Amino acid sequence: MNKNSNHKKYIVLLVLFSLLSINLLICTCVKKAPEKTGEVILAKIGAKDISVGEFIRRAEYTIRPDYCKFDNYIHKKIILNSLIAEKLLALEAGEANELTQNQQFQEYLQGHQEQAMRQWLYNEIAYKKVKLDTNEIKKIYKIAGRKYKINFCNLSDSSKINHLKRELIDNKNTFEDVYRYYFGLEEIPQREVKWEDQNETVIHDAFFSMPLEKGQIIGPLKTEDGNYLLMEVAGWTDRMAISDTDIQKRWNDVSEFLKTKHANEIYADYIAKIMKGKKVEFARDTFFKLADIFAPFYLKSADDKKDAFSQKFWKDQFVADTLGTHIDDIMEHPLLKIDGQVWTVSNFLTELRLHPLVFRKRNMSQQEFPEQFKLAIVDMIRDRYITNEAYKKNYHEAPAVKRNTNMWKDYLLGLYQKNRYLDELGVEDKENLDVIYRYLNSYVDSLQLKYSEMIEIDTDKFEKIPLTRVDMFVLQKNVPFQIIVPSFPLLTTDHLLDYGRKMVN
């Protein structure tokens, strides 16, 4: 295999990981609270195990197939059998195989580990240190039931949006008159804002940090996409929490909101100290050449990216269509310098496999891309320094970090072993339900028998676990690897727990 071919596959793999992180959105929910330590073990499979928390996350944070979608005992047993089957396939694959020896696989797991380390650092440095004031909770609790109706204007030009605000505040014009005069439109854009919405933090803070009055002007607020929002409170209604359950839920939601808000402030100060005095200097020519190479991929529409992801990413045509071949010419060119250290394009690509880029602005024009590309690289570098601090504190050994890394490793090993087994049988369409009935059920049964002496299940705890039937695909925002848990393992429809033994506590 020639050098160019190696580089091409190298780039496509990192693009694949970026796609995994940013483009499989079905339903976005943000899990803000860090994972707790000391999770209760539900099942042991040799040296591997499944905690109660992991069972719930694997069942609730991704979409389950129809054969185990409902909250009943039979379906719950199918879920458990599927998760145990994934561990059994990982055991069957072993630790020495083509996948585990693959550098991209190793770096992909390292990327997940390092993201979990940064999140654990946030937990230890900031989240755990927040002590809430009951009076502050009460203050926000009083307005958490409000649903605001707002008029708004969204512009990319800060000077224009500030001019509009002066027209409203200084010249005391109405929002309707200003909007109609400057935009020539009769209908003013309106929306609702309520506590439960997944709004950006800057918007949520603006409406739920203090009571607002009808006619009050909010903003301009700079949003994640780089635009500016100017808003007017057109009115509001208040939904009172009546039942004990509603009252407790709202209290908990407000407490979590405030704890996260204060933790973010502590963490921002911590990061500022880490990065104090550090400056990134880009090599202009190399940077713009690299930006030109990456822009066609990152500026693709979401549908185009999903279509690209559905292709076999190692095909030469996909490589050429994705990034072209010009990357080879600049691999060893200096890209940037920070803290006396020079990063070549090759260094950057290695880091990119560990940390797919996170763009501050989601929708970019061709003209905006270089600046947003630069900011994403700067954020990547910042996270590298944060990760180094986490390594100094040995957070790669934290139980929550190891559990998360092992979950992804066992998922990928299980998938590898499943595909290897079906390849031996000449099966091509490996995700077909008929494949489970014809091939995988019996295969999983044989593994349950083979490893039965190594399997323990805490059936008492298992029977107490409640599940919902709501389809969700849960993502985290503003992190390199946004998918919280792997896809549900499509391995067995069997609901019988006729193997292993009951765990003795």
Side-chain angles (χ1 to χ4, degrees):
M1 186 176 293
N2 62 40
K3 177 181 178 182
N4 286 349
S5 179
N6 278 327
H7 284 325
K8 290 174 188 176
K9 292 188 177 181
Y10 184 98
I11 298 300
V12 171
L13 279 166
L14 65 90
V15 171
L16 167 72
F17 297 150
S18 296
L19 279 166
L20 281 168
S21 301
I22 64 178
N23 294 305
L24 299 178
L25 176 60
I26 298 175
C27 171
T28 302
C29 302
V30 182
K31 182 188 177 191
K32 295 182 178 178
E35 182 182 332
K36 296 180 180 179
T37 57
E39 288 197 277
V40 177
I41 301 303
L42 175 63
K44 294 180 180 179
I45 309 94
K48 303 179 184 297
D49 59 49
I50 301 169
S51 69
V52 171
E54 183 177 344
F55 175 87
I56 293 173
R57 288 189 291 275
R58 291 297 300 276
E60 299 281 5
Y61 288 10
T62 190
I63 296 176
R64 301 198 300 270
D66 289 341
Y67 59 77
C68 60
K69 187 182 291 291
F70 299 105
D71 181 20
N72 60 54
Y73 193 51
I74 289 178
H75 282 203
K76 199 161 70 169
K77 287 192 292 182
I78 295 174
I79 296 170
L80 179 60
N81 276 341
S82 299
L83 295 177
I84 291 175
E86 181 178 271
K87 302 293 185 184
L88 293 175
L89 265 69
L91 283 174
E92 193 72 0
E95 291 295 324
N97 54 61
E98 183 183 11
L99 181 64
T100 57
Q101 302 306 313
N102 181 277
Q103 183 180 355
Q104 284 83 6
F105 169 79
Q106 295 167 4
E107 290 175 332
Y108 183 65
L109 288 181
Q110 183 182 341
H112 271 284
Q113 173 184 282
E114 292 183 347
Q115 177 170 293
M117 289 167 62
R118 290 190 294 272
Q119 292 170 330
W120 195 248
L121 181 70
Y122 168 85
N123 179 72
E124 297 298 297
I125 293 297
Y127 191 82
K128 285 173 60 174
K129 294 185 178 180
V130 175
K131 305 297 181 184
L132 293 178
D133 183 341
T134 303
N135 290 327
E136 184 182 17
I137 300 175
K138 290 179 179 178
K139 175 185 173 183
I140 305 302
Y141 177 90
K142 291 178 181 178
I143 59 175
R146 288 192 178 191
K147 179 170 68 175
Y148 288 99
K149 183 179 180 180
I150 64 167
N151 302 317
F152 72 92
C153 177
N154 187 16
L155 291 175
S156 59
D157 190 321
S158 61
S159 61
K160 288 182 180 179
I161 203 83
N162 282 314
H163 176 72
L164 295 183
K165 183 175 183 178
R166 287 193 296 271
E167 289 290 320
L168 293 169
I169 303 298
D170 298 341
N171 298 333
K172 301 188 184 304
N173 290 307
T174 67
F175 200 95
E176 291 87 346
D177 289 343
V178 169
Y179 192 87
R180 287 168 182 156
Y181 178 79
Y182 282 95
F183 299 99
L185 300 173
E186 287 296 318
E187 189 172 345
I188 302 171
Q190 290 188 329
R191 62 174 288 188
E192 291 182 341
V193 177
K194 55 183 183 291
W195 178 273
E196 297 84 2
D197 291 342
Q198 290 292 329
N199 289 308
E200 294 182 28
T201 301
V202 65
I203 297 174
H204 197 283
D205 284 353
F207 284 91
F208 297 103
S209 293
M210 63 184 68
L212 302 177
E213 302 298 330
K214 183 176 180 179
Q216 189 168 339
I217 301 300
I218 309 297
L221 303 177
K222 188 172 183 180
T223 58
E224 291 176 355
D225 63 4
N227 289 337
Y228 296 87
L229 267 178
L230 186 64
M231 297 170 285
E232 178 192 47
V233 178
W236 54 270
T237 58
D238 199 351
R239 179 179 61 82
M240 303 298 293
I242 304 300
S243 70
D244 290 343
T245 300
D246 286 344
I247 291 171
Q248 187 62 52
K249 182 180 185 304
R250 184 172 295 180
W251 184 271
N252 292 341
D253 288 346
V254 170
S255 299
E256 178 56 37
F257 165 73
L258 290 172
K259 187 163 186 177
T260 300
K261 178 182 178 181
H262 294 317
N264 290 345
E265 293 166 354
I266 295 171
Y267 198 54
D269 289 340
Y270 177 78
I271 294 173
K273 292 176 182 177
I274 293 174
M275 301 306 295
K276 184 177 180 180
K278 295 178 174 60
K279 180 181 179 181
V280 181
E281 300 176 24
F282 284 90
R284 179 181 175 83
D285 290 345
T286 304
F287 171 78
F288 281 105
K289 287 179 182 177
L290 193 65
D292 287 342
I293 291 170
F294 274 83
F297 168 72
Y298 283 111
L299 293 176
K300 283 184 179 180
S301 69
D303 287 341
D304 288 341
K305 288 178 182 178
K306 289 177 184 177
D307 289 343
F309 178 77
S310 68
Q311 300 178 43
K312 292 190 180 296
F313 61 89
W314 56 83
K315 284 189 175 179
D316 289 343
Q317 186 58 46
F318 177 51
V319 178
D321 291 345
T322 303
L323 288 179
T325 59
H326 301 298
I327 193 82
D328 298 318
D329 299 332
I330 60 172
M331 286 293 286
E332 301 309 320
H333 288 200
L335 172 63
L336 61 89
K337 183 178 180 181
I338 181 171
D339 217 17
Q341 181 183 4
V342 174
W343 284 34
T344 64
V345 171
S346 180
N347 297 144
F348 164 71
L349 296 179
T350 298
E351 188 66 26
L352 189 56
R353 292 233 296 275
L354 302 175
H355 188 297
L357 293 180
V358 180
F359 285 88
R360 300 183 188 181
K361 190 170 185 178
R362 296 176 185 176
N363 298 311
M364 297 170 279
S365 66
Q366 182 78 39
Q367 292 72 28
E368 293 173 307
F369 180 77
E371 182 62 24
Q372 294 301 316
F373 185 52
K374 182 181 293 184
L375 291 174
I377 294 174
V378 169
D379 290 344
M380 171 201 283
I381 294 169
R382 174 207 62 203
D383 281 358
R384 171 49 53 199
Y385 279 90
I386 296 171
T387 302
N388 291 342
E389 292 298 311
Y391 273 118
K392 291 176 184 177
K393 298 178 182 295
N394 292 319
Y395 286 163
H396 55 293
E397 297 293 340
V401 172
K402 295 176 76 171
R403 176 170 297 282
N404 182 76
T405 307
N406 288 333
M407 174 185 67
W408 282 98
K409 180 180 179 181
D410 289 342
Y411 162 73
L412 292 170
L413 278 174
L415 189 60
Y416 167 80
Q417 180 62 22
K418 168 187 169 181
N419 290 336
R420 187 166 66 173
Y421 175 75
L422 293 176
D423 282 340
E424 291 175 353
L425 297 176
V427 179
E428 294 184 1
D429 185 3
K430 298 178 176 62
E431 301 306 314
N432 192 304
L433 179 60
D434 186 55
V435 171
I436 298 178
Y437 288 120
R438 293 182 62 188
Y439 304 105
L440 293 177
N441 275 337
S442 58
Y443 181 49
V444 169
D445 286 345
S446 70
L447 295 179
Q448 290 171 351
L449 180 62
K450 176 179 178 179
Y451 292 100
S452 183
E453 292 299 316
M454 301 169 57
I455 301 173
E456 297 179 63
I457 302 172
D458 192 328
T459 52
D460 293 336
K461 291 187 177 67
F462 173 69
E463 290 173 358
K464 296 176 182 178
I465 298 175
L467 294 177
T468 70
R469 56 166 297 184
V470 178
D471 278 344
M472 289 197 303
F473 189 89
V474 183
L475 304 179
Q476 301 174 89
K477 296 174 67 176
N478 302 321
V479 292
F481 300 97
Q482 296 188 349
I483 301 174
I484 292 182
V485 297
S487 300
F488 188 83
L490 305 178
L491 298 172
T492 181
T493 61
D494 182 14
H495 69 276
L496 298 176
L497 296 177
D498 54 356
Y499 59 92
R501 62 182 180 275
K502 182 174 180 178
M503 188 183 299
V504 179
N505 295 314

